[in-house]
Amino acid sequence: MPNRLLIAAALTLGGLTPLCAQDNLHQVISRGEAAGAYQAFPDACRTKEGDILAVFYAGYGHVSTPNAEWPKGGRIGMVRSSDEGRTWTAPEVLFDSDQDDRDPHIAQMSDGTLICTYFTLVPDPAGTKLESRMVSSTDGGRTWGPESQLIVADWAVSAPVREMPDGTYILGVYWERDGAAWGGVVRSTDRGATWSQPIAIGKDSGAYLDAETDVILLKDGTLLAALRSSKTVLHVATSQDLGLTWTPAYATSFPGHCPHLN
């Protein structure tokens, strides 16, 4: 497929102007009421049927908690291309709860199920709470849910589900509070029906890892986790047992933003 076109579309979705705009590959793929005035955090995957699905956060600002004009807060939008990214459907609402649903990511599992992961900001008298959640589709993304599933409370997610060769699902998560932050993963051995408690990564590193953790399985069977930091360089850690245990997180030689490994 023309990867540059998909990258251009995704960057435009996030409000950025891609470098390839000058050679006419730049196009706006999401505009209109369903998309909202503020669109960000795009992700895309190709389905087994050959469609490209792009999901994104739709709201009125970087944080779109419920208000008079947006009584349900931010939501998850989606557009679809069936011609290698040349044309796209009008934006539609993939999921919209009564909270600020944000930072969606999408992946298709080996059985064809599409899983969209995201996190919500839940107002609470003691302070805003986080919930990492997922919603799934078994018909190529034409219908979703209708209910979302709680993956883990108090941790955020900014990555897609990664399926391992043995069928284990692994999802990068991250925790941030009271001046401390670190990454982690949760695991599922029953195709997402239930999830483990978070397994921390980098908690004792001494670095502030507001991590937006993502993982990738290397050819030798090592699982690599990448964790960003807003205060220092990108950190990484590895696992030899599909995420059950991790090496200490160690610094790379370069800064990094939200990782997305492929």
Side-chain angles (χ1 to χ4, degrees):
M1 64 163 291
N3 289 325
R4 293 170 67 205
L5 180 58
L6 182 55
I7 293 170
L11 287 174
T12 300
L13 197 62
L16 303 177
T17 301
L19 295 177
C20 57
Q22 60 190 3
D23 58 8
N24 297 320
L25 288 178
H26 167 241
Q27 61 172 310
V28 176
I29 68 172
S30 176
R31 178 188 287 126
E33 181 178 352
Y38 179 92
Q39 300 158 62
F41 319 129
D43 191 26
C45 79
R46 182 193 292 277
T47 70
K48 294 178 181 293
E49 297 77 22
D51 288 349
I52 301 169
L53 302 184
V55 297
F56 58 95
Y57 174 61
Y60 58 81
H62 182 72
V63 175
S64 301
T65 52
N67 62 19
E69 294 185 5
W70 285 69
K72 300 179 72 174
R75 55 185 174 236
I76 300 169
M78 184 182 78
V79 290
R80 177 192 303 267
S81 175
S82 299
D83 57 6
E84 300 293 324
R86 295 179 182 87
T87 62
W88 296 82
T89 60
E92 60 184 276
V93 176
L94 186 154
F95 191 78
D96 189 11
S97 77
D98 291 334
Q99 309 299 337
D100 184 24
D101 306 312
R102 54 191 301 103
D103 206 358
H105 289 75
I106 188 170
Q108 189 169 44
M109 305 297 103
S110 59
D111 66 357
T113 300
L114 285 160
I115 297 179
C116 179
T117 51
Y118 65 98
F119 74 92
T120 61
L121 296 178
V122 183
D124 183 84
T128 299
K129 292 184 177 181
L130 300 177
E131 291 183 351
S132 288
R133 307 189 70 91
M134 60 177 270
V135 63
S136 60
S137 171
T138 58
D139 59 5
R142 289 166 182 83
T143 59
W144 294 84
E147 299 298 327
S148 71
Q149 175 187 338
L150 176 66
I151 298 173
V152 61
D154 298 326
W155 292 66
V157 60
S158 299
V161 173
R162 304 298 189 181
E163 184 175 8
M164 300 295 106
D166 68 351
T168 300
Y169 291 178
I170 299 181
L171 180 64
V173 293
Y174 54 105
W175 188 96
E176 182 178 12
R177 187 178 302 162
D178 300 329
W182 54 81
V185 295
V186 290
R187 304 171 79 254
S188 175
T189 57
D190 54 12
R191 296 195 173 275
T194 61
W195 293 86
S196 72
Q197 290 298 306
I199 301 165
I201 305 173
K203 184 175 181 179
D204 299 320
S205 68
Y208 189 87
L209 302 176
D210 40 348
E212 297 176 331
T213 314
D214 195 14
V215 300
I216 190 170
L217 188 66
L218 305 181
K219 290 182 178 180
D220 66 358
T222 299
L223 193 63
L224 174 73
L227 308 94
R228 76 126 182 172
S229 173
S230 61
K231 301 182 184 298
T232 182
V233 295
L234 187 79
H235 279 57
V236 295
T238 58
S239 171
Q240 300 298 329
D241 52 14
L242 295 184
L244 290 170
T245 61
W246 292 87
T247 65
Y250 58 93
T252 66
S253 60
F254 56 89
H257 294 285
C258 180
H260 195 290
L261 305 174
N262 228 330

